[in-house]
Amino acid sequence: MDTRERLIESAQALLWERGYVGMSPKAIQDRASAGQGSMYHHFENKAALASTAIARSAEQLYASARKEFTQPCSALDRIVAYLNRERDALRGCRVGRLTQDPEIIADPQLRQPVQEMFAKLTQELASLIVEGQKAGEFSAEMNPEDTASTILAVLQGAYVLARAANSTEPYDRAIAGAISLLKHQGGVKRASRK
Amino acid sequence: MDTRERLIESAQALLWERGYVGMSPKAIQDRASAGQGSMYHHFENKAALASTAIARSAEQLYASARKEFTQPCSALDRIVAYLNRERDALRGCRVGRLTQDPEIIADPQLRQPVQEMFAKLTQELASLIVEGQKAGEFSAEMNPEDTASTILAVLQGAYVLARAANSTEPYDRAIAGAISLLKHQGGVKRASRK
DNA sequence: GTCTATAATTCGATAGAC
DNA sequence: GTCTATCGAATTATAGAC
């Protein structure tokens, strides 16, 4: 693997572990086994390298979610599979994590890939919910975009709870609770409709 | 207000905005209008001051949640009121935010108040759900602890979505979706029970 | 492309005067 | 209690040799 590539992957890992503020050029170089001059040859500065690394992480995460969303099973099952996908709860989300960084939020270049990834995931989930509504899996009263946001929020928040507790238990509980709510929703309306 | 107090409040604000890694002693002193010597007179080091500040933020947040949990209305209404409470979505949660900080998670002294706050909020919410089940507001099939974790996760994750989008919209949507799921859950089971 | 040298600034803290 | 002086290390680069 060439140096430029190693620098990007090194930055991706450090952004995940320590965020933009906590990631020093020295640390990037050490992890990539690259010298000072090497890094500044390939990237103008820390922000430029971070921008490349963030965009790549967002694309990778979106691509792996797409796989879950396009499985050949019911919409509800695909959403449940997405929620149940193996994740390293204690490490957190490598893209969601970046939203806590003031310098990333303040810089449109750094924030844009993050914004785009969540916007696209929301749209995919909302489409799945519409599909599920047509199939009778979800109540027609359900707002697809609201519910899509709720699903993403549960995932992101579950990471927070896991890290606070230093345990995966609250993560697993939050996911289980969300799945239960999704599976048992709308019944009142459906039941009353006869 | 005395210097020690100003230092704590200054640290609370900086931890919220920039996290532990992004908060420098210099910044704390400047915001508190205190000198270097002053800070190191009142606190052994940066970690000791941060520990005091984190504990205070966690207590304040828990106290304000308690108010919502003890209103004189139904359990469901209290949960909905808690979810709907005015929050500055773009600023994020001043306690949840800390879970992204590697140095806070690694140091039991710094993490403990965060862990405790979420554990207590989970217990309070779980109790409310049990109360709601007894009153017939929630399905008896619902797992109180799971659902309590889901509710906290939605809130924490909604902040993430808001900051990613630089807009309160996904926050509002996530909350609305969660409330809708809570209100319309369990109907199938109840209906089938006759 | 990669390396080493240099540099201004900040970080996190200590020492000691007042 | 608060202040200024000082400190070694790290940060975020730039310059220029190879």
Side-chain angles (χ1 to χ4, degrees), chain A residues 70-92:
Chain A
T70 53
Q71 294 294 318
C73 58
S74 81
L76 174 59
D77 285 348
R78 274 175 282 166
I79 290 174
V80 169
Y82 176 65
L83 280 164
N84 271 329
R85 192 168 52 154
E86 282 285 7
R87 289 183 181 88
D88 195 338
L90 290 174
R91 286 184 79 186

Side-chain angles (χ1 to χ4, degrees), chain A residues 93-153:
Chain A
C93 173
R94 54 212 242 252
V95 176
R97 193 242 179 276
L98 304 172
T99 61
Q100 299 307 317
D101 233 297
E103 321 225 358
I104 287 178
I105 294 309
D107 183 341
Q109 275 266 107
L110 298 178
R111 186 173 60 78
Q112 193 267 339
V114 178
Q115 168 162 22
E116 191 181 305
M117 188 200 76
F118 281 115
K120 282 156 80 178
L121 289 178
T122 304
Q123 278 316 302
E124 301 266 357
L125 281 167
S127 297
L128 273 183
I129 291 165
V130 169
E131 193 184 325
Q133 286 176 321
K134 285 177 184 158
E137 292 179 303
F138 295 122
S139 159
E141 330 283 328
M142 191 184 247
N143 181 303
E145 277 220 321
D146 287 2
T147 313
S149 295
T150 303
I151 290 168
L152 287 176

Side-chain angles (χ1 to χ4, degrees), chain B residues 3 33 35 45 47 61 87 92 99 114-115 120 134 152 160 190:
Chain B
T3 303
S33 304
N45 51 30
L61 225 53
R87 289 181 180 88
T99 62
V114 178
Q115 167 161 25
K120 282 157 80 179
K134 285 177 183 157
L152 286 177
V160 170
R190 280 216 303 276

Side-chain angles (χ1 to χ4, degrees), chain B residues 75-109:
Chain B
L76 174 59
D77 285 347
R78 274 174 283 166
I79 290 174
V80 169
Y82 176 65
L83 279 164
N84 272 330
R85 190 170 53 156
E86 288 272 20
R87 289 181 180 88
D88 195 339
L90 291 174
R91 285 185 80 185
C93 173
R94 52 213 245 250
V95 176
R97 193 244 179 275
L98 304 173
T99 62
Q100 299 308 315
D101 232 295
E103 320 225 359
I104 287 178
I105 295 309
D107 183 341
Q109 275 266 106

